[in-house]
Amino acid sequence: MAILDPAIEASPVRAGLHSVPNELLLHALSFLPTKSLLPLTPTCHRFHDLILRILQHRMRLAASLINHKLQLECYHPSDKFSTPWWFCEYLGTDGFNYGDASEDDLFRDIANHGRLGRLAGLYSHFRPTETFDRRILGPHPAGDVPGHPDMAQNLSLPIRGPPEYGLVSQVVSLDEGVLFTQLMTNANLVRVDSPLGWLRGSVTVAEGVLRVWRHWLANQLSRGADGAVKPVEKDSILWMDQAKNVGLDFNVKETSWTRNQPIIMRQDEDVAVSYALEHEELLIRTTHLLFMFEESMQQDNNRSGKAVVFGSFRSTS
């Protein structure tokens, strides 16, 4: 019969963090928001790998926009109140390939310590789509006023139909000698009430001013739309911010200019031109989209349930 040292037998058994199963660690870490998880990745290789798995899962969910829609505004400053906004449909995420790519394909030829950086370089691709027909009021007989029963019969055709690719488009024009024009952009992540389709909240993903140069428009004329996901290095992408978190990929087509052009001009003179910008893709860095998605979820959880109702009410007393 073996004789044990009483001191050793009486000492308590201490279980370290490394003795905790991965399943329990994943469950505990999953309660932390992404911005709190990232500082924990240098703790050890085990934490790094577990957090990497959590981030991959969250990025897939964020890109799918569960109970959310991506809203895009892009307009010339003078057309702020006349240009509509568009919802965007999800096309895919680099490396995920609609869920078909494996983890080995995503991190091919990348060391373990560089996999987090690989996730930070992924982009999700969306395409703006027409949300409704933009219609204008046509000629109407005298005496017709808004609200009249015959008013609905005086609607004309849409201002412009979609191009052959089904892409949203807008026209930009440059006068003689003008080197660039500007577009105001705003991308929002809106939370949708599933039963009724109401918009319950909004988080700004990015906003900025795109400077569209004359020479850039001329260089993009030869580029067509093939429907494929474009790499982020393409010069056809105009970025909304310096960090390149959100950008717009355009197809450029020249349109007819109705003004009379001068008969005689210098060779280096910039004439008046007009182009149609087709919104092929909206690119968002997937990690940035994840941060905004979690901010929207947190915003929804903090709602008090109270509302302010404006109206005219008659007192019953």
Side-chain angles (χ1 to χ4, degrees):
M1 182 177 180
I3 300 177
L4 300 178
D5 188 350
I8 297 178
E9 187 177 3
S11 61
V13 179
R14 297 182 179 179
L17 185 62
H18 292 284
S19 62
V20 180
N22 286 340
E23 292 77 10
L24 292 180
L25 283 178
L26 280 173
H27 181 72
L29 293 174
S30 63
F31 287 98
L32 297 177
T34 301
K35 290 186 178 180
S36 299
L37 278 178
L38 292 177
L40 299 178
T41 52
T43 303
C44 60
H45 289 289
R46 190 183 181 195
F47 268 49
H48 179 276
D49 295 340
L50 293 177
I51 294 175
L52 197 68
R53 291 172 56 184
I54 295 175
L55 291 180
Q56 282 184 261
H57 177 68
R58 290 182 178 180
M59 289 170 65
R60 290 179 184 271
L61 292 179
S64 61
L65 301 180
I66 299 178
N67 296 329
H68 287 75
K69 288 187 176 182
L70 195 60
Q71 183 189 66
L72 173 66
E73 292 179 285
C74 184
Y75 53 87
H76 189 270
S78 61
D79 299 330
K80 178 178 181 179
F81 300 105
S82 59
T83 304
W85 48 262
W86 307 286
F87 281 133
C88 303
E89 62 178 3
Y90 178 56
L91 298 179
T93 299
D94 300 335
F96 291 164
N97 193 23
Y98 301 88
D100 296 334
S102 63
E103 183 176 343
D104 295 335
D105 295 332
L106 181 61
F107 300 119
R108 188 182 302 275
D109 301 328
I110 297 179
N112 186 51
H113 61 273
R115 294 187 174 186
L116 192 62
R118 167 64 172 156
L119 289 182
L122 300 182
Y123 283 84
S124 296
H125 302 256
F126 301 86
R127 176 160 294 166
T129 58
E130 293 281 2
T131 55
F132 54 86
D133 289 337
R134 289 169 284 170
R135 300 177 182 271
I136 58 176
L137 298 179
H140 56 274
D144 194 3
V145 295
H148 192 272
D150 296 333
M151 188 68 176
Q153 301 177 4
N154 295 323
L155 295 178
S156 66
L157 296 175
I159 295 178
R160 62 173 180 271
E164 59 270 21
Y165 316 112
L167 302 180
V168 170
S169 65
Q170 61 188 123
V171 176
V172 295
S173 302
L174 298 174
D175 290 327
E176 296 88 347
V178 177
L179 298 180
F180 65 89
T181 184
Q182 296 188 135
L183 294 176
M184 311 297 293
T185 57
N186 191 5
N188 299 308
L189 187 64
V190 296
R191 184 169 178 85
V192 181
D193 192 339
S194 299
L196 301 177
W198 294 348
L199 304 183
R200 299 179 53 185
S202 175
V203 173
T204 300
V205 178
E207 57 182 350
V209 179
L210 302 182
R211 183 163 290 185
V212 186
W213 291 87
R214 176 188 290 266
H215 64 83
W216 180 86
L217 291 168
N219 292 336
Q220 297 301 317
L221 277 179
S222 59
R223 179 175 176 266
D226 53 10
V229 174
K230 302 297 186 300
V232 297
E233 294 82 6
K234 283 284 186 179
D235 59 355
S236 60
I237 300 174
L238 300 180
W239 299 98
M240 297 186 190
D241 55 350
Q242 294 183 352
K244 293 186 177 182
N245 288 324
V246 183
L248 279 169
D249 187 8
F250 292 103
N251 289 327
V252 179
K253 292 189 174 183
E254 192 171 12
T255 61
S256 59
W257 186 255
T258 57
R259 299 183 185 179
N260 296 327
Q261 300 287 359
I263 300 177
I264 301 176
M265 65 182 67
R266 297 194 307 268
Q267 185 176 1
D268 58 345
E269 186 175 355
D270 294 327
V271 299
V273 291
S274 180
Y275 297 90
L277 295 183
E278 297 178 348
H279 297 247
E280 185 174 357
E281 285 183 5
L282 172 66
L283 296 88
I284 303 179
R285 193 184 299 271
T286 312
T287 51
H288 180 72
L289 181 61
L290 173 58
F291 293 150
M292 298 300 102
F293 185 82
E294 291 185 349
E295 182 178 338
S296 177
M297 297 296 294
Q298 183 64 31
Q299 182 185 89
D300 189 68
N301 293 334
N302 292 337
R303 294 186 185 277
S304 62
K306 300 178 181 179
V308 178
V309 180
F310 295 91
S312 178
F313 305 96
R314 181 178 299 177
S315 177
T316 57
S317 59

